[in-house]
Amino acid sequence: MPPPAPHDAKRPLVLASVLLGMIFILIYILITFPRPLVSEQSQPSSDTVEAEEEADPFKFSDQPFHRHHIPDIVQPSLYQIQLKVYLPWRPGVTFGALDFTMDGVTRMEFTVRRPLRRLQLHVKELNITSVKVYNGIEELNVDEISEENPQLLDIFMTNQLMTGHNYSVIIDFRARINNPKFAGIFSAPYKYGSENRFKTATHLQPQEARSLFPCIDSPEVKARFDATIIHPEGTYALFNMKETNISTKGGWTTTTFLRSPIMSTYLFAMVVGTMPYRETYTAKGVRIRIYAEEGKLNDTALALSQVPRLLAFFQDYFQLPYPLMKLGLEATFVESWNDDVLGELSA
């Protein structure tokens, strides 16, 4: 009997390798996708989704493909945000169990594009303590408040909200500000002389405004913003706009700011800290400030001299005037409109 051809001898090895590979692929699929695969027929088509959302815009709020989207029915025009920050900013300052927390009140003025009894807002890791809805000065009856759907606050009204009316919703809440991922509102350590201090800042891109205050946290849903920040005496507060009033009483400083232009929620920026700054003004009166640790303040001289020139260059290049009254640069991590929080660079 003639010996088997070389390729015939290798055939069992090849088949075994293919079979083993298929087994590994099957195990990977079972581990990665433990739930039964859903056929395409069980997934609603885009036309079906649109038709059913038109009939019931909240129909798919609890579905995985929904992605926390709020129907385009409610149009905010103004957010009035008050935040009280319990920041133990230096050694010896403490608020006990309230350290690194924040009390907030959001008032959102809005209109509706169609009658509805269900008002929906984005929230994330906020402890909601009170919700009130008004038609002008008349308080409306709220039947139920639900956070059953992830990152969504559902407010069910007794009577319908109607088009042509100006409504407002006022929500009290509490949140933690010690976020280790530097997203939403977070605290960051820094040096002030020989002291170890803390500051608070925000990073709300792309959809983290909902972790700072209840809102419709979609970039296309824009509104104006009023901000009032209550912070420990001895610290400063920054917002996108210039300060209008600063008063201190009982160990707390209250800083109010000018109303912002129309902007998306993720552009909202705030900082509470004690870092010193250098300041200059552009030829058109825009205030430029750069905040940095005390030992690194002299390193900001070059940046401070160049920022007005860069601002003038971009205004000329785009043929658009800078729309705000100030530009603040804070040496930390992130950027927002008008208060850019920069990462420190070291060789």
Side-chain angles (χ1 to χ4, degrees), residues 86-88 93-102 175-178:
Y86 297 93
L87 178 69
V93 175
T94 181
F95 305 97
L98 295 178
D99 280 353
F100 297 109
T101 65
M102 174 189 69
R176 293 204 61 82
I177 64 175
N178 196 13

Side-chain angles (χ1 to χ4, degrees), residues 5-37:
H7 62 274
D8 291 335
K10 294 180 180 180
R11 183 175 299 169
L13 181 61
V14 172
L15 292 176
S17 299
V18 171
L19 182 60
L20 186 61
M22 294 176 66
I23 292 173
F24 276 118
I25 292 173
L26 180 60
I27 293 173
Y28 172 79
I29 292 174
L30 291 175
I31 293 175
T32 308
F33 307 101
R35 298 173 63 183
L37 297 178

Side-chain angles (χ1 to χ4, degrees), residues 6-131:
H7 62 274
D8 291 335
K10 294 180 180 180
R11 183 175 299 169
L13 181 61
V14 172
L15 292 176
S17 299
V18 171
L19 182 60
L20 186 61
M22 294 176 66
I23 292 173
F24 276 118
I25 292 173
L26 180 60
I27 293 173
Y28 172 79
I29 292 174
L30 291 175
I31 293 175
T32 308
F33 307 101
R35 298 173 63 183
L37 297 178
V38 181
S39 66
E40 292 184 0
Q41 293 181 350
S42 64
Q43 292 285 352
S45 67
S46 59
D47 292 340
T48 301
V49 169
E50 290 178 4
E52 294 192 28
E53 281 189 336
E54 181 65 25
D56 180 4
F58 304 100
K59 180 178 179 63
F60 298 107
S61 292
D62 60 345
Q63 297 300 311
F65 62 82
H66 188 262
R67 299 185 184 277
H68 321 308
H69 174 69
I70 290 180
D72 185 22
I73 300 175
V74 175
Q75 177 56 55
S77 58
L78 175 67
Y79 289 95
Q80 293 178 311
I81 312 295
Q82 177 180 290
L83 303 173
K84 185 174 184 178
V85 180
Y86 297 93
L87 178 69
W89 56 280
R90 64 177 298 180
V93 175
T94 181
F95 305 97
L98 295 178
D99 280 353
F100 297 109
T101 65
M102 174 189 69
D103 287 336
V105 181
T106 292
R107 180 179 182 271
M108 184 185 82
E109 296 182 2
F110 66 95
T111 57
V112 296
R113 294 189 171 95
R114 56 176 283 184
L116 75 160
R117 286 194 174 92
R118 182 177 181 178
L119 177 62
Q120 200 169 65
L121 300 174
H122 287 117
V123 296
K124 182 180 178 182
E125 298 177 357
L126 299 179
N127 180 18
I128 305 299
T129 57
S130 173
V131 176

